[in-house]
Amino acid sequence: MTPEDLARFRGMLQLQRTGTLAAIAELGSSLVELRAARSDGTADDEHDPDGSTLSGEWSRVSGLDADFTAALAAIDRALGRIDTAGYGRCRSCGGPIGAARLEARPAAELCIECARAAEDRR
């Protein structure tokens, strides 16, 4: 991988990181609001036919928060691999991760073959 390629992928990852941090911050605000609403003794969301329950919304938002937090960790690991010359190599087999895969998923840790095998095991 050329230095220009690495610089381009670093830029893509940093842009994704900025967006992911913003999403985590927004979800954090939502979780604070939901926590306050859930602790309010007057909330009767279980009988509101027009909206989701507070518990359901809490589950949805906290799940999204966990997903974004995991994505942030993957982005940070990818940025670390750029710094240590490991970027673009499969964590499992050590082979190259295809350019098209890195274009689609700059934080990819596995080549497509190893990713498919891991998915099949799940």
Side-chain angles (χ1 to χ4, degrees):
M1 192 165 296
T2 68
E4 293 80 18
D5 291 335
L6 291 174
R8 185 169 50 82
F9 284 118
R10 180 185 299 280
M12 292 170 65
L13 287 161
Q14 288 172 332
L15 187 61
Q16 282 185 350
R17 189 175 197 283
T18 299
T20 302
L21 284 170
I24 289 170
E26 185 175 324
L27 288 169
S29 296
S30 295
L31 286 170
V32 167
E33 291 171 10
L34 283 167
R35 185 177 294 120
R38 287 177 72 185
S39 66
D40 181 9
T42 62
D44 184 18
D45 70 321
E46 301 295 328
H47 298 98
D48 179 4
D50 295 329
S52 63
T53 65
L54 290 175
S55 296
E57 189 65 7
W58 176 269
S59 180
R60 184 187 73 79
V61 172
S62 63
L64 287 171
D65 184 64
D67 290 346
F68 279 115
T69 300
L72 181 62
I75 291 166
D76 286 343
R77 287 191 304 271
L79 288 167
R81 288 192 305 278
I82 288 175
D83 293 337
T84 61
Y87 187 76
R89 307 297 302 174
C90 179
R91 179 176 48 95
S92 181
C93 72
I97 299 174
R101 178 159 173 78
L102 289 173
E103 288 289 335
R105 299 183 59 145
E109 296 180 314
L110 301 174
C111 67
I112 193 69
E113 293 82 15
C114 290
R116 285 183 181 141
E119 187 64 29
D120 288 345
R121 285 189 298 271
R122 285 185 220 165

